Amino acid sequence: MNGSKDVQLEGYGDENLDRSLQGPLSLLFVCSALWLVVSSLLGAVAFWQLKFPGLIDFKAGIQTPYVGWFFDFIHQALNYGRAVAATKSVMIYGWLLQGFLGVAIWLTGRLTKKMICKTGNYFLLGAIALWNIGVLVGLMGVFSGEASGFSGFDFPKYAAAILFTAYAFIGLGMGMRFAKKSCSVPTPSEWYLIGAIFWFPWFFGVAYYFVFCKVVFGVMPALVHAWYIGGLEVLVLGSLAISILYYLVPSILGLALNRVHSAKSAFWFFAFLGAWSGVRHLVGGPLPAWMISSSVVAGVLLLIPGTIIANNQMVPLWSNWCKVKSTPVLWYLATGGVSLLVWISLEAMMSLRGVSAALRFSYFEMGVSAVFEYAFLSMVLFGSIYAILPTLTGKELPCCVKCCSKCQFWWGFCGVITFFTGTFFAGTFMGLGINFAPMAFVATTNLASPFFWLSVAGGIMVLLANLIFVKNVVATVLSACCESNKEGCCS
Amino acid sequence: MSDHSSNQSNENSHQESMLPQWMYWVFAALLIWGGAYLMRYSGGFSGEVYDESTVTYGPVKGGAAAVEDPKVLGARVYKANCAQCHQLTGLGVEGQYPPLAGSEFVLGSEAHVIRILLHGLVGPITVNGKPYNGNMAPWKDVLDDKKISQVLTYIRSDWGNNASAITPEMVAAVRKEEAARSASWTEKELEAAPKVLPK
Amino acid sequence: MNGYGRLFVGILFAFVFSWAALILVPLNQVGNLMPLEDQTSGDLNPPALSGLAKRGSQVYAANGCASCHTQQVRSESGGSDIARQWGARQTVARDYLYHSNPNLGSMRLGPDLANLGVERPDLNVNAGPKKKYDAAGLHQLFYAPRSIKGSSHPSYSFLYEKREIKGANAEVSLILPVGFETEEGKEVVPSEDAKALVAYLLSLNRMYALPEAPVKP
């Protein structure tokens, strides 16, 4: 083990094993980084329209036939409602889920020590391409007005079917490699990883059947949707992030992988409570009280595993603080670990009936989902990708990438905090205003206004960080492609 | 994993990541709170209590008993049995499955549409001006009179269709009259059959 | 069974447990509801949706109206919805019986629409006179929101077609206020989607009483 290296991941894996994944995973990470930027740009277009509602409504002025048609399409495709649906779906399926699937594929290789054969690699490439086609088709579907209207599950039926097929190949590949593993005791990161591999298709399949096949009606599709989003957020994306945290944190610090206190009980709490926690998003909604109440309880009790998991990550990081300070990858992972707990606490708070009366349906919801999607999931994913890329290429990250990754961290970190602060105040004032019935509805919007601009500033910082990230990923992958590009400029 | 990790293992980290004792008390308190919350706000796990602050459990009083709406029930029968061919939109598939929306068979004589459902339909037909030549198997052994009446009432009232409801008695009457029949209907035979319902 | 087998069974069980409790049992409790007959008026509640309105609910979903509007009235203790006169009672599962997507929504940048079809409060002035929307008013809101005082509503003008005046179409073309009229000789007509959307919105009415959700006098 070479102390001068940034991330010492070599010791736990087989170099050939990581290298064999270079092709598919480079493609995957580049695509997912591009989707991240697409999603943030769409988000910007949407957000901007809240203050300038006529932003893209060019139709009135322009009469020329073809140009007019083009602007008409822009207006249709990017109006607030569709842009928001597109932002959310691209964020989840293009960036987060795809990125974490990449991480999962890599981690499966590491944990099972099984190589993918050549044909397997082609299948994987095909599946990744198919996944991206699915996201693209879904995005076009949302633009052209075929969104399902269930936030986070907005892609039309055919796009969802493509995604499911693509996942079937990826998931089967991972499942088969675990099945071949000779028996031993699973480690913490394996619990979460194997869990997510199975939970995703189960949740997705049930949601697909109930939402798209029109076998139920009334509130049932909404209930299934809320349940699915809970499963996706906590059990799929959350598990994948936790799984990689349990692997990367100890291996970068050079500690034992499976000697973590209370991790096992935390996992089972997490699995059972997480699966129940989705319906709390409907608090106050048209469902029998017990469904929502039991889900609220599950959501609050998630604090127990959340605390244990965050503790498992943070204690070793805290006691190796010097190492953390000099390793940007660990900045990302540490931020993610803390944000997990922050997110669980925020969601628990929001779901309590007294709080939800005022804060629910306000801008605050956007802030909470930013903590989840950005401060927790994306941060972990950034860190993991920066840790994984060198193992794929067999070279250290180019030094410009290293510098930029620090810069990206600070923009992203400050950006998400600013965004959250903005939405927190905007949401609180607006929510309290709405909850105060004597105040005219339109007047409540003005309460939020000053803080709205704070969120805009945060959003711009996050966008900047995302742009740096894409540049970094593309630069790393390209520099590995052209052999002439010599490594090690800053040693 | 094991061989490598054991020589890397650091007993300290194991000790350090222990949670402080008071945390377990907090966890216990959370669990108790969870139980209390469920008892207070679950509305007795009834499917009819929506306002969680309701404390009086037991069946909800007042209001009227549910009446069965044949259209709702019929929509269910339709989704389960017919939609795969005639589609949820009732528009069918061109050249293969005829539409039900606006179809003269559906909107026309009550007796005919009941016959079609009971015994099936085969051979060339024209629906909404387009020719079809397929075969629909009989439903008489699959669906009982009630279900057939519901699905017919439904297809005669959705997608802009607007024809009278069909009752289970009407279906039973036709079923009785044609009890001897085993072959599917053809358009020719239907034209010959009486348009009015049997008494 | 080795460690991995046990792990798999646990994972499966966690999933099946929540599926059974939060999908299967609810399917039984609220998945097969029936409309109820009002004993005094003899009406069936909730009233059935017309085919056009059903299609409108799809237009509503596809345009993401739910990202700004909810369609759920919370109980008196759960928020200010009833105090704001967005409804007379909490909405319950039966209210959505005929909807294939209830469009519950998750943000309230605009007002709740669960009862748009009936008289509702003015959004600009508190405690002012109530108003009731008709098709023309809604078309104006979606085609030319800037023509309504104080409105910051997004425009949905792409759901409308501007064309040469054809014959006597007065009843379908939009009536726009001074300053927002179209050029001489042109008229604006709603597309099928716009008509469906408006039919859907006007059908939204959950003011009737249900046994599980009584209306307080």
Side-chain angles (χ1 to χ4, degrees):
Chain A
M1 247 186 222
N2 172 351
S4 72
K5 287 222 171 156
D6 231 9
V7 179
Q8 301 166 345
L9 284 173
E10 296 78 7
Y12 287 98
D14 174 349
E15 204 161 313
N16 290 330
L17 202 115
D18 291 334
R19 296 294 299 276
S20 72
L21 290 168
Q22 182 175 3
L25 288 195
S26 303
L27 173 71
L28 187 145
F29 288 136
V30 169
C31 289
S32 58
L34 288 175
W35 285 125
L36 171 65
V37 170
V38 171
S39 164
S40 5
L41 289 175
L42 283 169
V45 173
F47 225 58
W48 221 242
Q49 286 176 60
L50 288 180
K51 280 294 160 216
F52 304 103
L55 185 70
I56 50 167
D57 184 10
F58 314 104
K59 194 183 181 183
I62 298 153
Q63 296 300 330
T64 357
Y66 293 104
V67 183
W69 178 87
F70 175 74
F71 283 110
D72 201 24
F73 179 75
I74 294 280
H75 181 205
Q76 277 191 41
L78 295 180
N79 70 67
Y80 184 80
R82 291 192 199 174
V84 165
T87 309
K88 181 102 185 167
S89 300
V90 171
M91 182 78 178
I92 292 183
Y93 299 99
W95 158 239
L96 291 173
L97 197 50
Q98 170 161 233
F100 272 117
L101 280 181
V103 171
I105 293 169
W106 178 85
L107 197 54
T108 307
R110 280 290 177 106
L111 294 173
T112 59
K113 303 223 166 58
K114 295 265 182 305
M115 196 84 128
I116 303 189
C117 61
K118 198 120 197 191
T119 37
N121 236 333
Y122 284 124
F123 264 107
L124 192 55
L125 265 175
I128 292 166
L130 190 62
W131 181 276
N132 286 289
I133 292 172
V135 177
L136 188 66
V137 168
L139 181 63
M140 289 302 141
V142 172
F143 280 166
S144 58
E146 290 178 35
S148 73
F150 292 98
S151 160
F153 201 57
D154 270 301
F155 284 168
K157 184 175 180 177
Y158 44 84
I162 300 179
L163 290 182
F164 198 72
T165 319
Y167 179 80
F169 287 109
I170 299 176
L172 265 179
M174 292 194 283
M176 263 154 51
R177 280 191 283 162
F178 272 112
K180 275 193 277 185
K181 191 173 173 179
S182 52
C183 50
S184 60
V185 187
T187 58
S189 62
E190 277 171 300
W191 307 332
Y192 290 95
L193 180 60
I194 296 177
I197 292 176
F198 287 107
W199 282 320
F200 176 64
W202 293 341
F203 275 97
F204 196 87
V206 171
Y208 183 93
Y209 179 68
F210 280 104
V211 170
F212 288 131
C213 299
K214 307 260 183 219
V215 286
V216 291
F217 44 87
V219 290
M220 276 314 284
L223 173 66
V224 175
H225 165 246
W227 174 81
Y228 163 73
I229 292 295
L232 181 75
E233 285 187 342
V234 182
L235 287 193
V236 179
L237 294 169
S239 288
L240 287 171
I242 294 169
S243 156
I244 189 74
L245 279 177
Y246 267 119
Y247 183 82
L248 280 184
V249 170
S251 42
I252 294 176
L253 294 177
L255 307 173
L257 277 182
N258 48 0
R259 299 291 201 90
V260 269
H261 189 76
S262 333
K264 195 157 202 168
S265 49
F267 174 73
W268 292 116
F269 264 111
F270 184 83
F272 280 85
L273 296 172
W276 273 69
S277 64
V279 183
R280 68 187 148 154
H281 293 300
L282 293 176
V283 57
L287 283 175
W290 71 265
M291 296 174 198
I292 296 166
S293 294
S294 54
S295 190
V296 167
V297 169
V300 173
L301 293 188
L302 266 183
L303 278 169
I304 299 177
T307 314
I308 300 177
I309 295 163
N311 177 276
N312 284 170
Q313 314 306 330
M314 293 318 288
V315 168
L317 286 173
W318 191 246
S319 47
N320 292 283
W321 196 243
C322 294
K323 172 99 189 176
V324 174
K325 270 200 278 189
S326 62
T327 320
V329 166
L330 290 178
W331 304 354
Y332 286 103
L333 300 183
T335 314
V338 175
S339 304
L340 166 66
L341 194 54
V342 174
W343 175 68
I344 294 180
S345 321
L346 285 172
E347 281 275 14
M349 189 186 85
M350 282 277 280
S351 65
L352 295 179
R353 312 218 180 226
V355 184
S356 82
L359 288 192
R360 215 164 107 68
F361 302 141
S362 76
Y363 284 116
F364 192 60
E365 299 248 8
M366 289 187 187
V368 176
S369 71
V371 169
F372 176 66
E373 286 172 358
Y374 206 80
F376 170 42
L377 293 178
S378 298
M379 283 294 182
V380 173
L381 195 47
F382 290 141
S384 321
I385 292 179
Y386 282 131
I388 289 172
L389 280 177
T391 69
L392 298 178
T393 59
K395 283 185 275 185
E396 272 197 70
L397 291 176
C399 77
C400 58
V401 169
K402 263 194 215 163
C403 303
C404 289
S405 77
K406 293 183 194 167
C407 173
Q408 181 209 337
F409 175 80
W410 289 114
W411 279 115
F413 184 75
C414 301
V416 73
I417 290 185
T418 317
F419 184 86
F420 177 75
T421 317
T423 52
F424 175 76
F425 285 108
T428 310
F429 281 106
M430 179 186 167
L432 289 175
I434 294 186
N435 206 29
F436 178 61
M439 187 167 200
F441 181 82
V442 170
T444 60
T445 327
N446 299 336
L447 291 176
S449 223
F451 303 101
F452 181 85
W453 292 109
L454 199 58
S455 335
V456 170
I460 294 175
M461 293 199 247
V462 166
L463 176 62
L464 208 70
N466 295 348
L467 287 171
I468 301 176
F469 176 69
V470 180
K471 190 224 112 209
N472 275 353
V473 173
V474 173
T476 314
V477 168
L478 284 187
S479 81
C481 288
C482 18
E483 288 295 46
S484 60
N485 212 336
K486 282 278 175 280
E487 61 181 282
C489 50
C490 53
S491 54
Chain B
M1 207 79 346
S2 50
D3 54 342
H4 202 98
S5 12
S6 55
N7 53 34
Q8 284 279 325
S9 81
N10 178 338
E11 292 302 321
N12 269 343
S13 78
H14 176 201
Q15 291 296 320
E16 280 169 19
S17 68
M18 290 273 287
L19 284 175
Q21 183 90 45
W22 58 267
M23 268 298 191
Y24 291 96
W25 291 106
V26 175
F27 291 169
L30 272 177
L31 285 171
I32 293 169
W33 170 87
Y37 191 95
L38 264 188
M39 267 165 67
R40 172 66 186 81
Y41 290 121
S42 62
F45 290 90
S46 150
E48 292 175 358
V49 176
Y50 287 82
D51 186 352
E52 72 287 352
S53 47
T54 314
V55 240
T56 41
Y57 301 151
V60 188
K61 298 215 177 65
V67 289
E68 292 186 346
D69 181 350
K71 285 183 203 163
V72 180
L73 293 170
R76 274 179 217 157
V77 180
Y78 184 80
K79 278 174 191 166
N81 296 290
C82 326
Q84 74 263 37
C85 296
H86 295 290
Q87 308 300 312
L88 282 171
T89 54
L91 292 179
V93 178
E94 229 187 290
Q96 255 181 311
Y97 303 117
L100 302 180
S103 152
E104 45 274 33
F105 290 97
V106 175
L107 296 170
S109 145
E110 293 158 350
H112 281 3
V113 75
I114 298 178
R115 288 198 179 98
I116 294 179
L117 257 256
L118 283 174
H119 301 104
L121 185 66
V122 67
I125 56 166
T126 315
V127 183
N128 292 352
K130 300 224 169 68
Y132 295 87
N133 188 357
N135 176 12
M136 179 169 74
W139 289 99
K140 62 178 194 298
D141 304 323
V142 184
L143 304 174
D144 59 17
D145 295 346
K146 208 165 165 197
K147 287 221 165 108
I148 291 186
S149 71
Q150 285 160 352
V151 75
L152 287 177
T153 306
Y154 169 72
I155 64 172
R156 279 158 72 93
S157 65
D158 201 359
W159 319 300
N161 286 355
N162 191 3
S164 58
I166 306 260
T167 62
E169 290 75 46
M170 297 179 184
V171 183
V174 177
R175 195 191 280 267
K176 211 169 117 212
E177 192 186 58
E178 308 283 355
R181 189 177 184 94
S182 59
S184 294
W185 292 93
T186 59
E187 194 172 20
K188 280 243 171 59
E189 282 178 309
L190 270 181
E191 272 160 16
K195 271 204 160 112
V196 284
L197 285 163
K199 283 274 136 46
Chain C
M1 204 165 21
N2 64 16
Y4 288 90
R6 275 198 299 277
L7 178 65
F8 177 79
V9 172
I11 287 167
L12 179 66
F13 188 64
F15 172 81
V16 170
F17 187 44
S18 96
W19 176 78
L22 291 173
I23 306 293
L24 213 55
V25 175
L27 205 54
N28 208 11
Q29 284 192 344
V30 299
N32 293 303
L33 293 170
M34 284 289 139
L36 296 181
E37 192 178 316
D38 185 310
Q39 273 159 345
T40 44
S41 66
D43 294 344
L44 278 186
N45 289 327
L49 274 191
S50 71
L52 197 60
K54 271 188 199 160
R55 191 166 146 208
S57 104
Q58 238 40 61
V59 179
Y60 185 97
N63 283 297
C65 306
S67 56
C68 286
H69 292 287
T70 54
Q71 281 187 37
Q72 45 179 320
V73 180
R74 297 179 290 178
S75 68
E76 241 160 11
S77 59
S80 66
D81 309 13
I82 294 177
R84 278 195 178 273
Q85 301 178 315
W86 283 338
R89 57 168 176 84
Q90 183 181 12
T91 44
V92 296
R94 205 187 300 272
D95 290 325
Y96 303 86
L97 188 59
Y98 293 101
H99 296 239
S100 57
N101 178 352
N103 289 318
L104 296 181
S106 57
M107 285 281 277
R108 269 191 191 155
L109 303 185
D112 188 89
L113 300 180
N115 289 297
L116 191 88
V118 292
E119 279 202 327
R120 53 198 285 110
D122 194 312
L123 295 172
N124 289 293
V125 274
N126 178 40
K130 288 195 168 188
K131 62 176 175 186
K132 189 168 185 303
Y133 278 98
D134 57 4
L138 288 174
H139 282 310
Q140 186 188 345
L141 178 66
F142 300 143
Y143 180 73
R146 274 347 119 239
S147 71
I148 293 172
K149 207 172 126 271
S151 174
S152 58
H153 208 268
S155 146
Y156 291 89
S157 58
F158 56 84
L159 294 176
Y160 297 81
E161 192 197 345
K162 195 191 274 184
R163 61 174 196 200
E164 306 290 327
I165 290 185
K166 286 194 213 141
N169 264 322
E171 86 281 21
V172 286
S173 66
L174 263 60
I175 308 148
L176 294 166
V178 189
F180 291 86
E181 310 102 326
T182 43
E183 308 91 82
E184 238 358 79
K186 294 257 174 96
E187 62 177 357
V188 177
V189 289
S191 64
E192 285 306 308
D193 278 355
K195 283 186 206 154
L197 178 63
V198 165
Y200 168 65
L201 290 171
L202 291 177
S203 78
L204 297 175
N205 171 0
R206 280 106 185 191
M207 298 302 276
Y208 46 84
L210 289 174
E212 67 271 32
V215 177
K216 287 210 188 94

